[in-house]
Amino acid sequence: MILVVGGAGYIGSHLVKELIKKEDIVVLDNLSTGHREAVDSRAVFVKGDLGNEEDLQMVFRSYPIKAVMHFAANSLVGESVVDPLKYYQNNVAATLTLLKMMMKFKVKNFIFSSTAATYGIPSVEVIDESTATQPINPYGHSKLMVEQILADFSKAYGLNYVVLRYFNAAGAHSSAVIGESHDPETHLIPIVLQQLLGEREKVSVFGSDYDTPDGTCIRDYIHVTDLATAHILALEALLLGKKSAEIYNLGNGLGFSVKEVIETCEKVTGVKANVEIADRRPGDPARLVATSEKIYTQLGWKADRNLEQIIADAWKWHQNKKY
Ligand code: UFG
């Protein structure tokens, strides 16, 4: 059985929907940001906290767990700057408790959700895994700290792990049953789609004076189902003993500016957005684009879905969303 911590959240719930076709799953989630309804009904659901040893003991005693996939984290850059305690507590300290209990119950396989925020403001156009990691906010630091902990646990205790550094996760499951549902929403694509549906008055473009061709920030958007596929390949490699202590970027390899994303949303939906130019948002690097060559070469993964597909799937979900 696979333990998916944070399996009721946005990316975790999409992983569960794909992985359940191959493995039995137990989801542990405290529902602080996740949704119980998003968890596939074929998975076992346990409401509990990864920072709580008793909750973890109960899970490890009750189910034959062979690997843990860890999606449960706070992930808002701006919030991490104003409330670093929350980020170090939930993302670092609680993860340490999870790892401690894994070692106690001799569960040695771990997949960790990391982030492009570990790179900070990169000095290269296209980021690979050897690009220097210099986070510029507590969120990025919290993820990089766990990466270090994993490297040390691997050497000392024989933990096998894969770190996946996501770029900008977006889109929704093709069934439109689950999608990106944050409250409050801060991410660009759902905000644009909410505006197009009349759920918000306008879209604010945070800065138009960046050193990019159209002055707005460039990001590498990756479909959440492509992320799920990468996790499954990483898990298989880990369970077969083929890979450990590896770090992979997960991106499309293509950068789109905020303006281009808004234009693509308009094109896909046929609805015109109400856009205003606003001040820069603190902590936004001008450009974050990945190469995912390493995971392609080693595990055969590449992103299958482009920006239009991402937006089309997100749009389908946004029009029918139930929660
Ligand atoms: N943006 C706007 N207006 C909005 C919302 C966003 O202009 O209303 C801009 C942002 O300034 C940024 C781009 O759209 O330039 C993308 O912003 P998102 O908030 O959608 O995503 P981020 O790139 O800020 O953050 C994402 C993940 C983080 C991760 C980060 C890596 O959400 O968890 O990528 O840099 F850390």
Side-chain angles (χ1 to χ4, degrees):
M1 234 173 167
I2 309 296
L3 171 59
V4 180
V5 185
Y10 171 44
I11 300 170
S13 62
H14 284 76
L15 173 275
V16 169
K17 236 187 198 345
E18 297 303 316
L19 184 62
I20 198 74
K21 297 170 190 165
K22 299 184 169 197
E23 299 275 1
D24 291 332
I25 295 175
V26 51
V27 167
L28 178 74
D29 200 300
N30 65 8
L31 299 181
S32 61
T33 57
H35 306 277
R36 176 68 186 88
E37 309 89 317
V39 180
D40 192 288
S41 58
R42 290 165 288 180
V44 175
F45 180 78
V46 176
K47 184 165 188 269
D49 205 301
L50 78 146
N52 182 323
E53 291 193 10
E54 283 167 21
D55 290 350
L56 293 169
Q57 296 216 33
M58 193 282 281
V59 171
F60 285 120
R61 285 212 176 102
S62 308
Y63 304 100
I65 306 295
K66 58 181 178 182
V68 176
M69 303 173 99
H70 178 21
F71 296 87
N74 296 111
S75 61
L76 298 177
V77 167
E79 184 187 54
S80 79
V81 176
V82 294
D83 194 359
L85 174 62
K86 179 174 178 181
Y87 280 71
Y88 292 119
Q89 186 69 52
N90 293 347
N91 294 4
V92 183
T95 301
L96 202 52
T97 304
L98 171 64
L99 290 168
K100 174 180 160 190
M101 298 313 282
M102 283 177 63
M103 296 306 98
K104 180 171 172 190
F105 285 89
K106 303 199 170 10
V107 179
K108 295 277 172 91
N109 297 309
F110 192 63
I111 307 246
F112 180 61
S113 303
S114 191
T115 170
T118 53
Y119 294 109
I121 299 175
S123 54
V124 291
E125 282 270 298
V126 178
I127 300 168
D128 70 20
E129 294 80 355
S130 68
T131 301
T133 44
Q134 294 165 329
I136 55 166
N137 49 61
Y139 171 59
H141 279 294
S142 73
K143 289 288 182 176
L144 194 58
M145 283 177 190
V146 174
E147 291 190 14
Q148 182 62 56
I149 291 168
L150 296 178
D152 294 339
F153 271 47
S154 175
K155 287 189 201 117
Y157 311 130
L159 175 73
N160 306 309
Y161 72 92
V162 172
V163 166
L164 299 172
R165 288 182 181 153
Y166 314 156
F167 281 65
N168 286 60
H173 196 262
S174 58
S175 65
V177 171
I178 53 174
E180 185 168 8
S181 183
H182 298 120
D183 187 18
E185 188 53 77
T186 63
H187 295 101
L188 180 63
I189 291 175
I191 282 180
V192 176
L193 298 181
Q194 286 173 355
Q195 201 283 312
L196 297 181
L197 282 168
E199 293 169 10
R200 36 176 96 225
E201 195 195 327
K202 60 190 178 213
V203 176
S204 303
V205 172
F206 297 143
S208 60
D209 57 352
Y210 284 95
D211 184 16
T212 59
D214 68 17
T216 66
C217 287
I218 293 175
R219 293 288 181 274
D220 181 338
Y221 294 88
I222 170 90
H223 197 294
V224 64
T225 302
D226 284 332
L227 289 183
T229 310
H231 282 78
I232 293 169
L233 288 173
L235 177 69
E236 285 168 359
L238 208 53
L239 293 177
L240 289 171
K242 285 189 184 163
K243 288 286 166 208
S244 180
E246 291 288 357
I247 296 177
Y248 298 113
N249 281 346
L250 297 180
N252 250 305
L254 293 172
F256 290 93
S257 72
V258 173
K259 278 189 182 159
E260 287 172 329
V261 169
I262 296 171
E263 282 160 17
T264 311
C265 288
E266 291 177 329
K267 188 173 143 204
V268 167
T269 63
V271 188
K272 190 103 190 85
N274 181 26
V275 178
E276 65 158 16
I277 303 297
D279 289 343
R280 287 184 178 200
R281 189 174 67 176
D284 276 341
R287 179 186 161 91
L288 284 173
V289 179
T291 170
S292 300
E293 199 55 36
K294 183 178 173 194
I295 190 168
Y296 178 65
T297 309
Q298 297 195 5
L299 302 183
W301 177 88
K302 68 175 174 50
D304 280 337
R305 296 159 181 84
N306 63 16
L307 184 64
E308 293 197 1
Q309 185 71 55
I310 290 171
I311 293 168
D313 284 344
W315 181 237
K316 232 179 356 171
W317 180 77
H318 272 274
Q319 288 171 297
N320 296 297
K321 57 184 179 268
K322 298 182 193 72
Y323 53 86

